[in-house]
Amino acid sequence: MDLLGVGLVLLSTFLGQVVGMTYYAPQLLGNLTCRLKAKRKPEELQTAIVWSFVTGFFEAALIYHVLQIIGTVSTLQHVFLGAVYLTLFHALIEAPHYGFEKRSVQLIFIHMGYHLLHLFVVIFVQVYGRYWS
């Protein structure tokens, strides 16, 4: 991975976290999400935020490498479809856990909406970041 690639991975990781903080803010879907799932102590939230950034970084790095391999993402439509397909793939993997863990169906849709926005931002930055440099 070249220096520009590292920068794009870091930028897309940061912006993906901004999307998450905004999406799950109390003013948007944060309060509803909290009502639908188990409560956490404040010290657990700090660990969750750090873990979210670490996993977000590896997700962005993985997406970077996949984009390098396929090399065909060139339009906004491709970016959007890539985000949709990855979100659906994730939803299909995650959905059985919701049934076994008795999580709300509402929660599935809230999280999948976040994943769609997050993945769109990550893919968009990495695809179009090369043109901006």
Side-chain angles (χ1 to χ4, degrees), residues 17 45-58:
Q17 297 301 307
L45 288 176
Q46 291 176 351
T47 303
I49 290 168
V50 170
W51 184 244
S52 175
F53 186 82
V54 169
T55 58
F57 173 79
F58 284 108

Side-chain angles (χ1 to χ4, degrees), residues 90-104 108:
H90 173 70
L92 292 171
I93 290 173
E94 191 69 22
H97 298 287
Y98 281 78
F100 284 108
E101 296 169 8
K102 295 184 180 179
R103 294 191 224 168
S104 159
I108 293 172

Side-chain angles (χ1 to χ4, degrees), residues 12-87:
S12 62
T13 300
F14 172 76
L15 292 175
Q17 297 301 307
V18 170
V19 167
M21 289 186 292
T22 304
Y23 190 84
Y24 289 112
Q27 298 82 358
L28 289 177
L29 295 171
N31 288 335
L32 177 60
T33 303
C34 286
R35 283 194 304 271
L36 295 171
K37 63 181 186 173
K39 304 272 186 214
R40 293 188 182 270
K41 298 175 186 168
E43 60 271 10
E44 293 174 331
L45 288 176
Q46 291 176 351
T47 303
I49 290 168
V50 170
W51 184 244
S52 175
F53 186 82
V54 169
T55 58
F57 173 79
F58 284 108
E59 173 193 274
L62 178 63
I63 288 172
Y64 175 86
H65 286 292
V66 169
L67 290 172
Q68 296 302 305
I69 292 168
I70 61 174
T72 58
V73 178
S74 58
T75 67
L76 201 54
Q77 180 182 6
H78 288 141
V79 172
F80 179 73
L81 288 175
V84 167
Y85 293 153
L86 285 172
T87 300

